[in-house]
């Protein structure tokens, strides 16, 4: 039957009423409500799903809860979601000082790559390694807050001047492997940080949902214990071989006891995240491989002096509504054009920041911090050294400690496959000059990858997947998973040589195939042997180490000048040997001072001169005493002569 | 500011040194046959030479670095500076012991009043040279103390203060020494 024309507008209007909410018009309006009190605001709140609809646990189609849609009821999440933890893939954000990368390890090709979306020299952009946002999410969601690459909206094109200069500028592409339509986006999960009582289970439930089952959009709900989810979106669209039926989508069962009569949930939201929440992603442990299975030594570590004394990470690493967490390095105020950040550095807090717009912050002793006297230290130390040089990281020894971090080694997750030699191998402290020219302790790792040497001398990365494809079926490289023990076994020269031939034979490839490993670049000779040589592309990637801060009594210099100026002081003469999936015998050790462009003669002469320091003081004081005695005698004689002359004059009168 | 004052002061000192040398030659030729001051012994000459070499070396490495780069001493420059320092200190102490009697305001004043010959007037040190010598000793004492005291556990306020005092007193010492050397060099 043909519809009369005059009925069409009515039908359209009716359809609009029914369909528009489903199309997103039902999204909760973003607000910026404030209680403006230092007291904790009790979050007994209703939950919204990703459509912005209020969740009723009694309804079959309810949820999962969306942190963004829930929190936007009161908070400006569009502003918050541009914060430091979520904006790495926004190229318009200044990269700031180099930081800890995501370390990608492909066991088959032994590729170890420091990755970052930020423009940090020495890192690779994930796209260079052939990794899409989907790949990054599956691999690193375990220690990611969500948002950013976990919820990829193509970022607005940045102004030309802010485009990365050391990394390619490719925009996110479409990954055919991506299954966002089933998994949903991994939204920013506010409770990862703001959970006051650890009711948010990041270490097990979120990991299992977000990574193992690819149930990204269900992860925040399950992590909070609000519901139980069965099924995996990774299987959606596949057929269960046992039953012959297609796998069902994830099914959620709400814990209705968590909801009150008005369908609200009490969430223990805190403004200042407990340090233990930060530590899930920001733990660094020294390990001792010599202790075998008990390589983990952190039980004996003292921890950061600030935290031990009752402070929170967020006392210094603050932010406003924008969630741009202060990183606390000296040039941060300049990098981001925010002069107020100067007061949140080590020196700004302890000594005061003379450039602070707040007069109170020009004074030291912020938060009761002790104002250091640094007795006996010539001022040149403070021109040459960052505060962290003496106060941060493990006490330097003849070789740097081996370190494991949350982001690189998935600390915090129950992984029995984690060993002392688990890739990546990170060492520290290595004393290098930072971007501000001051010596500071760094963590260091050595990239391992296949590349192509270009005519201009640069090396372009060959994505691990391309190498795997090139050697497929040739029985050269054994297919391995990163958790397998063999993954740390170095490649033989023969394997390297054969692989270089195959990588070079890839159609349309430009440049000579090379292998970067252990701080060296390997090229294939005409006779099939491989030859290592030095190359800038093989340099280690290092990033500054801010914590754990040691107290004054356990800082370098607390025992005197010889902590750093002895003839074998670790700050200069500790031996740094590259570690990773390569033959340690081929790795070339470097003494710490060699990283700082300082000559051996100068260092050894300077440190050797400290043996004469006492003699210098004795000579100085003895000579000063003689000169003072002569001056004193002269003064006495002058007074005596003047007095005598006065007496003589008086008598003659 | 310091760099400007240092450059001007050192130029002035060198000018005084050159002029002082010339005036000495003229005075000596005019005073031929007149009684002369006791010449310096080899020990005195040696001590003065050690002191001057020490001061010049320390000034070149210390003041030179500050004037040319505006930065504090470091590296080889600092090591040379510290290596020369004992020579300067020992030389200055020796000079203080051996030269003190030569630069006595009272003696000059008495001799000038009792002997009015031109030769005596020129041979006897006028007050300005006495003042220069004692000023040199005072500056030297301050330089030595401000170099040594920072090694004995003073806090950063005093470290900076002592360093500043060391800088200014070193400049004063260098200027006074250059000027005074014109007096000694032909004695």
């Amino acid at each position: 039957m043909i519809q009369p024309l005059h009925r069409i507008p009515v039908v359209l209007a009716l359809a609009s009423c029914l369909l528009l909410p489903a199309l997103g018009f039902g999204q909760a309006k973003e607000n910026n409500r404030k209680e403006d009190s230092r007291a904790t605001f009790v979050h007994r709140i209703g939950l919204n799903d990703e459509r912005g609809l209020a969740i009723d646990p009694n309804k079959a189609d309810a949820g999962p809860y969306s942190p963004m849609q829930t929190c936007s009821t009161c908070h400006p999440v569009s502003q918050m979601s541009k914060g430091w933890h979520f904006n790495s893939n926004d190229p318009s954000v200044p990269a700031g000082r180099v930081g800890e990368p995501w370390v990608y390890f492909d066991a088959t090709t032994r590729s170890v790559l420091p990755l970052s979306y930020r423009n940090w020299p020495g890192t690779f952009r994930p796209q260079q390694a052939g990794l899409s946002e989907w790949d990054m999410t599956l691999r690193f969601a375990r220690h990611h807050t969500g948002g950013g690459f976990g919820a990829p909206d193509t970022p607005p094109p940045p102004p030309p001047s802010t485009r990365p200069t050391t990394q390619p500028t490719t925009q996110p592409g479409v990954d055919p492997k991506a299954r966002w339509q089933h998994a949903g986006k991994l939204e920013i999960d506010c409770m990862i940080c703001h959970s006051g009582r650890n009711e948010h289970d990041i270490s097990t439930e979120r990991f299992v949902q977000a990574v193992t089952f690819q149930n990204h959009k269900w992860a925040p709900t399950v992590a909070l214990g609000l519901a139980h989810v069965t099924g995996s979106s990774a299987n959606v669209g596949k057929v269960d071989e046992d039953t012959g039926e297609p796998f069902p989508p994830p099914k959620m069962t709400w814990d209705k006891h968590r909801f009150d009569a008005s369908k609200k949930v009490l969430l223990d939201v805190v403004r200042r995240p407990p340090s233990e929440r930060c530590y899930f992603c920001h733990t660094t442990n020294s390990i001792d491989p010599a202790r075998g299975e008990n390589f983990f030594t952190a039980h004996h570590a003292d921890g950061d002096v600030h935290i031990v004394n009752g402070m929170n990470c967020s006392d210094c690493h603050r932010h406003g509504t924008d969630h741009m967490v202060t990183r606390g390095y000296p040039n941060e105020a300049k990098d981001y054009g925010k002069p107020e950040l100067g007061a949140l550095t080590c020196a700004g807090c302890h000594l005061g920041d003379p450039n602070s717009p707040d007069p109170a912050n020009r004074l030291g002793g912020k938060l009761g911090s002790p104002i250091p006297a640094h007795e006996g230290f010539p001022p040149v130390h403070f021109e040459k050294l960052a505060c962290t040089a003496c106060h941060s990281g493990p006490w330097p020894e003849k070789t740097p400690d081996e370190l494991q971090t949350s982001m690189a080694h998935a600390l915090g997750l129950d992984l029995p496959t984690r060993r002392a030699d688990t890739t990546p191998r990170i060492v520290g402290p290595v004393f290098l000059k930072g971007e501000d020219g001051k010596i500071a302790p760094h963590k260091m790792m050595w990239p391992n990858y296949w590349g192509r040497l270009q005519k201009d001398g640069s090396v372009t990365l060959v994505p691990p997947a391309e190498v795997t494809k090139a050697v497929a079926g040739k029985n050269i490289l054994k297919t391995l998973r990163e958790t397998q023990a063999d993954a740390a076994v170095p490649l033989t020269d023969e394997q390297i040589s054969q692989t270089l031939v195959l990588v070079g034979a890839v159609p349309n490839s430009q440049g000579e195939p090379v292998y970067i490993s252990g701080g060296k670049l390997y090229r294939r000779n005409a006779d099939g042997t491989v030859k290592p040589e030095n190359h800038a592309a093989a340099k280690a990637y290092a990033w500054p180490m801010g914590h754990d801060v040691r107290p004054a009594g356990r800082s370098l210099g607390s025992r005197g000048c010889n902590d750093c100026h002895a003839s074998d002081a670790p700050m200069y003469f500790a031996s740094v040997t590259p570690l990773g999936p390569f033959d340690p015998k081929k790795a070339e050790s470097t003494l710490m001072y060699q990283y700082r462009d300082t000559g051996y003669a100068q260092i050894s002469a300077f440190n050797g001169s400290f043996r004469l320091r006492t003699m210098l003081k004795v000579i100085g004081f003895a000579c000063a005493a003689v000169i003072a005695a002569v001056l004193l005698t002269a003064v006495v004689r002058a007074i005596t002569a003047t007095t005598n002359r006065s007496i003589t004059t008086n008598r003659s009168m | 500011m310091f760099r400007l004052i240092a450059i001007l002061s050192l130029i002035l000192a060198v000018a005084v040194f050159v002029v002082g040398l010339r005036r000495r030659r003229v005075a000596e030729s005019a005073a031929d046959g007149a009684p002369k001051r006791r010449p310096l012994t080899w020990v005195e000459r040696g001590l003065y030479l050690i002191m001057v070499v020490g001061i010049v070396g320390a000034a070149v490495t210390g003041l030179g670095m500050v004037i040319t780069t505006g930065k504090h001493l470091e590296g080889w420059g600092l090591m040379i500076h510290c290596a020369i320092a004992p020579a300067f200190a020992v030389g200055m102490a020796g000079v203080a012991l051996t030269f003190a009697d030569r630069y006595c305001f009272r003696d000059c004043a008495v001799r000038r009043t009792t002997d009015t010959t031109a030769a005596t007037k020129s041979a006897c040190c006028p007050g300005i040279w006495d003042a220069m010598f004692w000023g040199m000793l005072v500056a030297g004492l301050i330089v030595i103390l401000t170099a040594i005291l920072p090694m004995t556990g003073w806090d950063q306020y005093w470290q900076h203060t002592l360093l500043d005092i060391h800088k200014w007193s070193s400049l004063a010492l260098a200027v006074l020494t250059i000027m005074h050397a014109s007096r000694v060099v032909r004695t």
Side-chain angles (χ1 to χ4, degrees):
Chain A
M1 192 177 96
I2 299 171
Q3 291 283 344
L5 285 175
H6 69 273
R7 287 189 187 172
I8 290 176
V10 178
V11 173
L12 285 176
L14 194 62
S16 300
C17 292
L18 294 171
L19 294 175
L20 286 182
L23 292 174
F25 280 68
Q27 286 188 349
K29 184 175 175 292
E30 182 175 306
N31 290 306
N32 188 6
R33 298 168 67 183
K34 299 171 186 171
E35 28 76 38
D36 294 330
S37 167
R38 293 184 182 180
T40 301
F41 184 84
V42 177
H43 282 74
R44 193 186 299 278
I45 58 174
L47 304 178
N48 294 335
D49 66 13
E50 63 181 338
R51 299 165 297 178
L53 301 176
I55 289 174
D56 180 348
N58 297 313
K59 290 186 177 174
D61 64 343
Y65 113 91
S66 157
M68 291 294 92
Q69 290 296 329
T70 301
C71 299
S72 65
T73 309
C74 299
H75 300 290
V77 292
S78 58
Q79 187 185 351
M80 293 168 157
S81 59
K82 294 189 175 88
W84 182 254
H85 281 106
F86 329 116
N87 67 11
S88 66
N89 59 343
D90 179 354
S92 67
V93 177
R97 187 173 80 170
V98 294
E100 179 168 9
W102 296 107
V103 184
Y104 175 70
F105 176 41
D106 180 76
T108 303
T109 61
R110 307 294 197 279
S111 297
V112 183
L113 300 168
L115 303 177
S116 178
Y117 286 100
R118 302 190 195 279
N119 188 22
W120 288 336
T123 61
F124 297 94
R125 198 163 283 258
Q127 290 93 323
Q128 284 180 278
L131 300 173
S132 65
E133 283 84 355
W134 175 257
D135 297 319
M136 290 292 286
T137 302
L138 291 189
R139 188 166 279 264
F140 298 117
R142 55 178 171 75
H143 283 85
H144 192 254
T145 52
F149 59 73
D153 286 328
T154 304
S161 61
T162 59
R163 279 187 179 276
T165 52
T166 61
Q167 299 177 332
T169 56
T170 51
Q171 289 294 314
V174 177
D175 180 1
K177 303 188 304 293
R179 293 170 57 84
W180 299 111
Q181 71 277 23
H182 301 299
K185 288 182 179 178
L186 189 69
E187 280 188 11
I188 296 168
D189 191 347
C190 311
M191 294 301 282
I192 283 179
C193 302
H194 292 285
S195 172
R197 286 183 318 208
N198 287 321
E199 64 182 351
H200 180 282
D201 181 2
I202 187 173
S203 54
T204 305
E205 293 294 357
R206 183 178 183 275
F207 169 69
V208 169
Q209 293 300 325
V211 178
T212 311
F213 294 155
Q214 298 180 10
N215 293 339
H216 296 163
K217 71 177 177 183
W218 289 268
T221 305
V222 180
L224 263 179
L226 296 171
H228 175 67
V229 171
T230 54
S232 163
S233 76
N235 293 330
V236 175
K238 298 176 186 172
V239 175
D240 187 341
E241 290 179 359
D242 294 337
T243 62
E245 298 287 321
F247 282 104
K251 185 184 175 190
M252 194 165 58
T253 308
W254 289 97
D255 179 358
K256 294 176 185 172
H257 295 97
R258 296 288 298 272
F259 292 79
D260 65 12
S262 58
K263 300 183 181 61
K264 288 183 176 176
V265 175
L266 177 63
L267 299 180
D268 187 21
V269 179
V270 290
R271 186 180 286 119
R272 295 166 66 222
S275 299
E276 286 72 16
R277 302 299 293 181
C278 307
Y279 275 142
F280 184 79
C281 295
H282 297 290
T283 289
T284 295
N285 286 334
S286 286
I287 61 163
D288 184 0
R291 292 161 60 113
E293 287 185 359
N294 299 317
F295 64 86
F296 180 66
T297 60
H299 295 306
H300 308 288
D302 289 340
D304 190 283
V305 67
H306 300 94
I307 305 300
V308 170
N309 282 280
M311 289 179 72
N312 257 5
C313 303
S314 57
D315 288 334
C316 299
H317 298 287
R318 300 178 186 183
H319 59 76
T321 308
D322 62 3
H323 280 59
M324 277 298 285
V325 179
T326 306
R327 297 174 68 197
Y329 64 92
N331 279 351
E332 190 174 18
K334 202 189 295 175
D335 285 352
Y336 294 93
K338 294 180 177 176
E340 66 273 18
L341 298 184
L344 294 172
T345 61
C346 309
C349 199
H350 285 267
L351 295 163
D353 173 25
N355 301 316
S356 176
D358 180 353
N361 284 338
R362 293 173 203 157
L363 308 171
K366 194 177 175 73
L367 299 172
S369 59
I371 299 175
H374 288 124
E375 290 169 350
F377 284 88
V380 69
H381 286 79
F382 307 97
E383 295 170 12
K384 298 286 174 192
L385 300 171
C387 304
T388 51
C390 301
H391 292 281
S392 290
W395 182 268
E397 296 179 74
K398 287 181 179 174
T399 56
D401 280 14
E402 277 205 54
L403 306 172
Q404 291 193 340
T405 75
S406 297
M407 286 169 63
H409 299 92
L411 305 183
L413 302 179
D414 176 24
L415 295 181
T417 51
R418 187 169 45 244
R419 303 176 305 275
D421 65 348
T422 290
T423 304
R425 308 281 290 275
I426 298 173
V427 302
V430 181
F431 290 91
L432 307 176
K433 279 188 182 173
E435 290 170 352
D436 58 357
K438 292 185 175 182
I439 296 170
H442 285 68
K443 295 173 192 167
M444 186 179 263
M445 60 160 288
W446 286 263
N448 221 62
Y449 60 95
W450 303 86
R452 291 196 178 95
L453 184 62
Q454 304 300 321
K455 284 179 184 170
D456 63 359
S458 64
V459 174
T460 54
L461 169 69
V462 178
E466 192 178 318
V467 180
T468 307
K469 194 176 165 189
V471 300
K474 307 288 184 188
N475 201 23
I476 299 171
L477 302 180
K478 186 180 170 187
T479 303
L480 294 170
R481 295 179 68 82
E482 61 180 296
T483 49
Q484 288 178 262
D486 284 356
V489 175
L491 300 180
T492 63
D493 282 358
E494 195 180 347
Q495 285 176 306
I496 296 170
S497 175
Q498 290 175 342
T499 307
L500 286 175
V501 172
L502 294 169
V503 170
V506 171
N508 302 322
S509 60
Q510 288 184 334
E512 179 189 347
V514 292
Y515 181 51
I516 303 288
S517 181
K520 298 284 181 187
L521 177 146
Y522 290 81
R523 303 168 84 162
R524 187 176 185 275
N525 295 325
D527 60 359
T529 57
V530 287
K531 178 185 152 197
E533 56 187 71
N534 292 324
H535 194 280
K539 274 187 179 174
Y541 177 73
W543 65 99
M545 174 187 280
H547 298 280
D548 291 337
V549 177
R550 303 191 304 273
R554 294 193 169 202
S555 297
L556 286 175
S558 59
R559 299 180 301 181
C561 308
N562 281 345
D563 279 350
C564 296
H565 295 298
S567 56
D568 59 350
M571 181 176 265
Y572 292 99
F573 298 105
S575 177
V576 185
T577 305
L579 294 173
F582 42 79
D583 188 352
K585 289 174 192 163
K586 290 181 183 172
E588 195 175 284
S589 295
T590 305
L591 297 179
M592 206 87 85
Y593 74 85
Q594 291 173 318
Y595 285 113
R596 305 198 295 264
D597 301 326
T598 315
Y600 174 79
Q602 182 183 327
I603 296 301
S604 52
F606 191 70
N607 287 357
S609 72
F610 277 77
R611 292 178 198 155
L612 306 172
R613 194 177 164 89
T614 306
M615 194 177 78
L616 182 70
K617 283 194 253 187
V618 169
I619 291 173
F621 278 122
C623 293
V626 169
I627 297 167
V630 170
L631 284 168
L632 190 65
T633 307
V635 169
V636 170
R637 283 176 66 182
I639 292 170
T640 310
T642 308
T643 312
N644 289 344
R645 200 178 305 160
S646 303
I647 293 168
T648 311
T649 310
N650 288 340
R651 279 180 184 166
S652 63
M653 286 173 72
Chain B
M1 184 65 177
F2 176 81
R3 293 165 80 180
L4 181 66
I5 292 174
I7 291 167
L8 293 176
S9 307
L10 290 171
I11 290 171
L12 178 70
V14 171
V16 169
F17 178 80
V18 173
V19 171
L21 275 185
R22 284 189 170 185
R23 290 187 67 180
R24 288 288 300 163
R25 286 197 193 104
V26 173
E28 280 171 8
S29 58
D32 279 346
K36 289 185 178 176
R37 299 180 69 203
R38 179 176 64 80
L40 295 174
T41 65
W42 284 107
V43 173
E44 288 168 336
R45 287 180 188 195
L47 286 170
Y48 200 88
L49 184 66
I50 290 170
M51 183 193 75
V52 168
V53 168
I55 290 174
V56 170
V60 167
T61 52
L63 293 174
M65 174 74 88
V66 175
I67 289 171
T68 54
T69 67
K71 292 179 181 173
H72 291 307
L73 267 175
E74 57 178 292
W76 286 112
L78 179 60
M79 281 186 271
I80 294 168
H81 190 77
C82 293
I84 290 170
F88 145 68
V90 170
M92 175 133 269
V95 166
L97 287 171
T98 54
F99 280 65
D101 280 340
R102 285 175 168 269
Y103 295 96
C104 175
F105 293 94
R106 183 178 62 86
D107 288 351
C108 286
V110 171
R111 283 162 69 181
R112 272 205 296 273
T113 52
T114 55
D115 185 352
T116 55
T117 61
T120 304
K121 272 187 177 175
S122 64
C124 183
C125 52
I128 183 75
W129 298 107
D130 297 348
M132 216 174 270
F133 173 79
W134 292 108
M136 208 169 73
L137 285 194
V138 171
L141 177 64
I142 296 171
V143 167
I144 293 170
L145 287 177
T146 52
I148 303 296
L149 286 176
M151 298 182 200
T152 58
W154 295 67
D155 68 20
Q156 283 309 298
Y157 171 78
W158 281 106
Q159 292 283 346
H160 283 278
T161 305
L162 290 170
L163 188 63
D164 274 348
I165 296 172
H166 185 74
K167 199 166 63 175
W168 286 100
S169 57
S170 298
L171 177 61
L173 175 64
V175 168
L176 289 170
T177 305
I178 292 169
M179 293 195 294
H180 186 262
S182 71
R183 176 83 187 170
V184 174
V185 79
R186 298 188 67 83
T187 304

